[in-house]
Amino acid sequence: MDIQLQELIDKIKKDGVAASEQQSALIVSEAEKKAAGIIAEAEKKADDMLKNAKAEISRLEKASEDAVAQSCRNMLITFRESLVAELNALIQSETQNAYSQELLKELVPETVRAWSKNADVSELSVLLSEKNLHNLEASFKSALKAEIEKGLQLKSDKTLGDGFRIGVNNGEAYYDYSAEALVELFASYLNPRVAQIMKNAAKGND
C-alpha cells in the first residue's frame, strides 16, 4: 500500500511538473510573441517618427530657401525701383536744364521749318509756357517771319513747363516736344534696360 501511494505521489508530481513546464513554455512563448509585437510596433513608430522628422526638416529647409529667395527678389525689386526713380529724376533734371531759352531759340524755328515743308500740314502753331513765350516771342517773330505771314501762330499753354508743342491743321493734332514728353520717352527706354540689367545681375551674367 505504501508502495502504491508512493507511486501515485510520484506520478502526480511528474504530471504536475510536466504540466507546469508546458504551461511555462506556453507563457514564455506568448510573452515572446507579445514582446516581438511590441518591438515591431515600437520600431514602426520610430521609423514613422524618423520619416516625419525628415519630411519636416525638408519642409523647413525648403521654406527657408523660399523665404531667402523671396527676400532676395524683394531686395532686387526695391533696388531696381530705387534706381529707376533716381535715374528718372536725373533725366528730368538734365532734360529741363538742357531746355534753355538759348536752345529753344534755335530748336523751335528749325522744327517749325521742318513741319512747314510737309504738304499735308497747314495752320501751324507753336505752344510754349507763358514765361518762355514772353521772353522769346520777339526772337521767334524775327526768325519765323515768313511762317508767321503764312499763318503760324505763337501761343502760350499754362500746362507746359520747359519745351514746346507743335500744333498742326488748326490744332487738329499736337506733337509734344516738352521736357515732360522727353522724360517719358527716355524713361520708357530706360526702365526695360534697367530691368534687364538687374535680371542679368541676378543670374550672374554680364
Side-chain angles (χ1 to χ4, degrees):
M1 189 69 177
D2 290 339
I3 294 172
Q4 290 178 350
L5 180 60
Q6 186 62 47
E7 288 178 351
L8 180 60
I9 291 170
D10 291 342
K11 185 177 185 304
I12 291 171
K13 285 182 179 180
K14 183 179 179 182
D15 291 344
V17 169
S20 176
E21 289 177 349
Q22 185 178 4
Q23 185 66 25
S24 297
L26 183 61
I27 291 171
V28 170
S29 176
E30 289 295 324
E32 287 177 347
K33 287 180 181 178
K34 287 182 179 180
I38 292 170
I39 292 170
E41 182 66 21
E43 288 177 345
K44 184 178 182 304
K45 286 183 179 180
D47 187 53
D48 290 342
M49 289 177 65
L50 183 60
K51 287 180 180 177
N52 290 337
K54 288 181 178 179
E56 182 63 13
I57 291 171
S58 178
R59 186 189 69 78
L60 290 174
E61 286 179 348
K62 186 177 186 308
S64 297
E65 290 173 0
D66 291 344
V68 171
Q70 185 61 48
S71 178
C72 290
R73 283 192 292 270
N74 291 342
M75 288 176 62
L76 285 173
I77 290 171
T78 300
F79 178 71
R80 184 186 70 188
E81 290 175 349
S82 175
L83 180 60
V84 168
E86 290 185 18
L87 290 174
N88 285 347
L90 179 63
I91 290 171
Q92 184 170 0
S93 174
E94 292 301 314
T95 302
Q96 289 173 341
N97 291 337
Y99 258 142
S100 65
Q101 292 189 355
E102 291 301 316
L103 177 64
L104 289 175
K105 280 183 182 180
E106 298 180 9
L107 190 57
V108 171
E110 289 179 5
T111 305
V112 170
R113 292 188 190 105
W115 276 104
S116 297
K117 294 176 183 179
N118 190 330
D120 297 328
V121 169
S122 62
E123 299 177 310
L124 286 172
S125 58
V126 177
L127 284 72
L128 300 106
S129 67
E130 292 180 342
K131 177 184 176 181
N132 284 335
L133 181 60
H134 175 75
N135 292 336
L136 299 174
E137 186 172 13
S139 174
F140 289 153
K141 284 183 177 180
S142 174
L144 296 169
K145 183 177 180 180
E147 285 75 14
I148 291 173
E149 289 176 354
K150 293 178 183 178
L152 173 68
Q153 296 181 0
L154 302 175
K155 300 178 181 179
S156 66
D157 186 338
K158 292 182 179 180
T159 66
L160 264 172
D162 295 295
F164 61 99
R165 294 189 181 101
I166 297 290
V168 299
N169 300 336
N170 197 25
E172 186 177 303
Y174 288 92
Y175 295 87
D176 203 344
Y177 299 92
S178 65
E180 292 83 357
L182 288 182
V183 168
E184 287 183 11
L185 178 64
F186 289 142
S188 66
Y189 167 78
L190 175 68
N191 291 347
R193 289 286 299 157
V194 171
Q196 188 60 50
I197 290 170
M198 296 299 293
K199 285 181 182 177
N200 291 343
K203 293 177 182 177
N205 297 334
D206 295 331

